[in-house]
């Protein structure tokens, strides 16, 4: 007997519980899909179309709804001889500037036609934009440009200014670009430059967190396909839905919890998935979510986390936000990235607090100092450094801070003045 043997006692088809699974229909998002359809309708009518921005936390259906709507849009547009429609999709997860987004768009467009990629360095930003306009003009017609997790670009928003104005400025002749921006940050638009806000003229669609009943509606058809008959106890799906609704309202979290419960049942040889399996799965996923929560932070979020880790390594915690901001600003200078305002840093800290990554203390020293907040990590410093070390831009900084955890004196000599 080999070490691994196929086991089909629990799972009939685990694909519906995979993050990449695309359902045949989108549940519990009728209102949002109706707004989405209205926003895309001008493409079918062959008239100018506003850009579209989707806002909502991770797991609230933004990406899956976009894939669903664009799939229908492409099928329906094919019925009309006078509609020339193309779509290009770029994930901005690891992109922190308009330059990088433009390079990614160029390479995505070229790869779709079997062309050569361009280098990620060595060009001026304007030259990359010119190449992008040339590639778009080759397509012609209406080009829907999806920028997923667009909030990662921060203040580097030139791409959101250039693309909507490309036709009016004469950079392209035969295309109508339509931007679909997907953001996990409800306040992303507030931090765009005034000229970009004025240029975008976008439709906004908000995707709120799911409640327990909505998550149950989403889980039930997936569970029916994923597991053999009789495997699920009746309270399993409602409990998965309740746990996810109480935490983040994320469908992705609820689906992962159900899959983890199934894997635990399979591992212990059970023929049924019970409430106990769900509770054990919840404990396991909570540990993993701390790491995922840190990994999914934006570049600005990682910079704030890095600053807090620095103070933690020197035992300078809890630290006031004004002192943390000074360290954060120096980190941004070292990374050659724009810093955000102190208010936005506090917003990032608030998000980390909700994720369970940090602790926040409110101090009140009366008339002498008034009210203020102090912060410290609520997860092991080593775990934070592991995440930062796996992020290329922060690898050097994390290495320096890791040294500080073992030798504060060596830290001071290595980064004096930084």
């Amino acid at each position: 007997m080999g070490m691994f043997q196929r086991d089909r006692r629990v799972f009939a088809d685990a694909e519906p519980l995979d993050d990449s699974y695309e359902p045949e229909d989108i549940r519990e998002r009728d209102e949002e899909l109706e707004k989405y359809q209205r926003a895309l309708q001008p493409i079918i009518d062959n008239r100018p179309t506003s850009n579209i921005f989707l806002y909502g936390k991770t797991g609230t259906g933004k990406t899956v709804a976009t894939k669903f709507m664009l799939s229908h849009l492409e099928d329906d547009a094919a019925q009309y001889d006078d509609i020339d429609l193309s779509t290009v999709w770029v994930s901005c997860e690891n992109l922190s500037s308009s330059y990088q987004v433009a390079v990614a768009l160029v390479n995505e467009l070229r790869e779709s036609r079997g062309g050569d990629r361009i280098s990620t360095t060595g060009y001026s930003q304007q030259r990359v934009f010119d190449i992008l306009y040339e590639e778009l003009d080759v397509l012609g017609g209406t080009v829907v440009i999806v920028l997923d997790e667009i909030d990662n670009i921060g203040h580097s928003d030139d791409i959101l200014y250039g693309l909507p104005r490309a036709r009016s400025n004469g950079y392209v002749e035969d295309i109508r670009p339509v931007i679909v921006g997907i953001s996990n940050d409800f306040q992303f638009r507030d931090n765009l430059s005034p000229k970009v806000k004025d240029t975008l003229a976008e439709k906004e669609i908000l995707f709120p967190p799911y409640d327990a009943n909505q998550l149950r509606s989403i889980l039930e058809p997936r569970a029916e396909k994923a597991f053999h008959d009789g495997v699920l106890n009746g309270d399993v799906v409602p409990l998965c839905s309740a746990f996810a609704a109480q935490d983040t309202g994320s469908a992705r979290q609820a689906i992962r919890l159900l899959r983890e419960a199934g894997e635990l049942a399979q591992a212990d040889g059970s023929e049924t998935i019970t409430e106990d399996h769900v509770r054990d799965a919840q404990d396991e996923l909570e540990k993993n979510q701390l790491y995922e929560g840190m990994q999914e932070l934006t570049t600005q979020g990682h910079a704030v986390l890095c600053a807090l880790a620095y103070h933690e390594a020197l035992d300078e915690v809890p630290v006031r936000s004004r002192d943390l901001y000074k360290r954060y600003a120096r980190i941004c200078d070292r990374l050659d990235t724009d810093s955000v305002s102190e208010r936005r840093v506090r917003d990032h800290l608030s998000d980390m607090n909700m994720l369970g990554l940090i602790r926040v203390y409110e101090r009140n020293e009366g008339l002498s100092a008034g009210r203020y907040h102090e912060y410290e990590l609520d997860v092991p410093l080593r775990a934070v450094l592991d995440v930062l070390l796996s992020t290329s831009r922060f690898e050097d900084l994390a290495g320096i801070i890791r040294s500080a955890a073992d030798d504060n004196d060596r830290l001071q000599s290595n980064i004096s003045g930084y």
Side-chain angles (χ1 to χ4, degrees):
M1 281 292 189
M3 181 180 293
F4 297 98
Q5 300 177 52
R6 185 166 295 173
D7 188 341
R8 296 193 182 276
R9 290 170 300 167
V10 174
F11 291 99
D13 178 8
E15 185 180 356
L17 302 182
D18 190 83
D19 286 347
S20 62
Y21 177 74
E22 295 183 19
E24 296 176 358
D25 64 335
I26 306 296
R27 293 188 164 219
E28 304 300 336
R29 283 294 182 240
D30 291 347
E31 182 178 342
E32 290 78 13
L33 291 179
E34 184 179 339
K35 292 179 180 178
Y36 216 152
Q37 182 178 1
R38 289 202 303 268
L40 292 170
Q41 180 62 37
I43 294 176
I44 297 297
D45 297 339
N46 237 342
R47 53 190 175 87
T49 306
S50 297
N51 302 300
I52 306 166
F53 270 64
L54 281 61
Y55 297 96
K57 293 296 184 181
T58 299
T60 53
K62 306 180 301 298
T63 298
V64 70
T66 299
K67 290 180 178 178
F68 178 80
M69 294 302 294
L70 292 185
S71 176
H72 280 276
L73 179 67
E74 290 170 340
D75 289 344
D76 294 341
Q79 301 177 28
Y80 299 91
D81 294 336
D82 60 344
I83 297 179
D84 185 4
L85 174 66
S86 304
T87 61
V88 55
W89 189 300
V90 164
S91 171
C92 303
E93 179 181 3
N94 296 311
L95 309 178
S96 60
S97 68
S98 286
Y99 178 93
Q100 293 176 348
V101 172
V103 169
L105 282 169
V106 168
N107 288 333
E108 186 69 26
L109 290 167
R110 288 193 169 186
E111 283 184 7
S112 66
R113 295 197 298 272
D116 295 330
R117 296 170 60 88
I118 65 171
S119 171
T120 57
T121 59
Y123 298 93
S124 68
Q125 177 168 289
Q126 187 56 54
R127 178 54 187 149
V128 175
F129 277 29
D130 290 341
I131 297 172
L132 173 59
Y133 297 143
E134 292 168 6
E135 295 294 330
L136 289 171
D137 242 348
V138 171
L139 286 177
T142 299
V143 181
V144 178
I145 301 168
V146 182
L147 301 177
D148 200 357
E149 299 189 46
I150 184 60
D151 42 281
N152 282 306
I153 68 171
H155 283 283
S156 179
D157 53 15
D158 293 342
I159 192 79
L160 299 180
Y161 181 72
L163 280 173
R165 295 170 56 89
R167 188 181 179 95
S168 61
N169 284 339
Y171 298 138
V172 295
E173 296 180 3
D174 300 322
I175 73 153
R176 290 178 179 172
V178 177
I179 296 175
V180 174
I182 303 176
S183 173
N184 297 331
D185 185 353
F186 285 97
Q187 296 174 311
F188 171 65
R189 192 183 190 282
D190 295 340
N191 295 291
L192 296 174
S193 62
K195 67 176 185 179
V196 172
K197 291 180 185 178
D198 184 59
T199 298
L200 275 176
E202 80 276 20
K203 304 280 188 180
E204 292 186 351
I205 306 175
L206 302 181
F207 282 68
Y210 294 106
D211 62 31
N213 289 330
Q214 290 173 322
L215 289 173
R216 183 173 178 176
S217 173
I218 292 168
L219 281 189
E220 284 176 341
R222 292 182 182 238
E224 185 176 342
K225 294 178 180 178
F227 300 107
H228 289 296
D229 293 341
V231 166
L232 279 180
N233 278 4
D235 55 0
V236 167
V237 167
L239 188 58
C240 289
S241 303
F243 276 145
Q246 291 167 8
D247 188 7
T248 62
S250 163
R252 186 174 296 128
Q253 181 180 351
I255 293 165
R256 288 178 179 175
L257 183 56
L258 181 58
R259 184 177 68 229
E260 181 72 16
E263 291 175 353
L264 290 176
Q266 186 180 61
D268 67 19
S270 300
E271 295 184 358
T272 57
I273 303 173
T274 67
E275 180 179 324
D276 287 340
H277 290 124
V278 176
R279 296 188 183 280
D280 289 343
Q282 173 73 351
D283 291 341
E284 186 68 25
L285 289 181
E286 280 182 349
K287 299 174 187 175
N288 295 337
Q289 282 167 11
L290 291 176
Y291 288 90
E292 288 185 10
M294 287 187 283
Q295 288 172 332
E296 291 181 0
L297 293 174
T298 64
T299 298
Q300 293 293 338
H302 279 136
V304 175
L305 187 64
C306 187
L308 189 53
Y310 175 93
H311 286 283
E312 191 87 25
L314 292 180
D315 293 326
E316 297 175 350
V317 288
V319 58
R320 291 187 66 165
S321 58
R322 67 185 184 189
D323 298 322
L324 183 64
Y325 184 78
K326 293 176 184 176
R327 182 60 53 193
Y328 154 81
R330 291 174 187 169
I331 287 172
C332 288
D333 287 342
R334 182 179 177 115
L335 296 173
D336 194 25
T337 189
D338 292 331
S339 59
V340 297
S341 67
E342 189 170 348
R343 180 184 65 83
R344 283 294 292 138
V345 166
R346 289 195 294 270
D347 289 338
H348 283 292
L349 289 166
S350 178
D351 288 342
M352 291 181 206
N353 183 41
M354 288 190 293
L355 288 170
L357 302 178
I358 66 173
R359 292 177 186 169
V360 183
Y361 305 96
E362 184 173 336
R363 310 297 192 196
N364 189 344
E365 298 185 3
L367 296 175
S368 60
R371 289 186 178 181
Y372 60 90
H373 290 94
E374 292 184 332
Y375 305 88
E376 68 177 348
L377 293 177
D378 198 21
V379 293
L381 176 60
R382 298 289 178 177
V384 174
L385 294 178
D386 286 345
V387 171
L388 293 175
L389 282 165
S390 68
T391 306
S392 58
R393 298 190 75 186
F394 291 87
E395 189 173 357
D396 291 342
L397 291 172
I400 293 172
I401 297 171
R402 171 164 282 181
S403 298
D406 301 323
D407 186 347
N408 285 349
D409 292 336
R410 187 172 63 181
L411 173 73
Q412 296 291 0
S413 63
N414 277 341
I415 57 175
S416 58
Y418 150 63

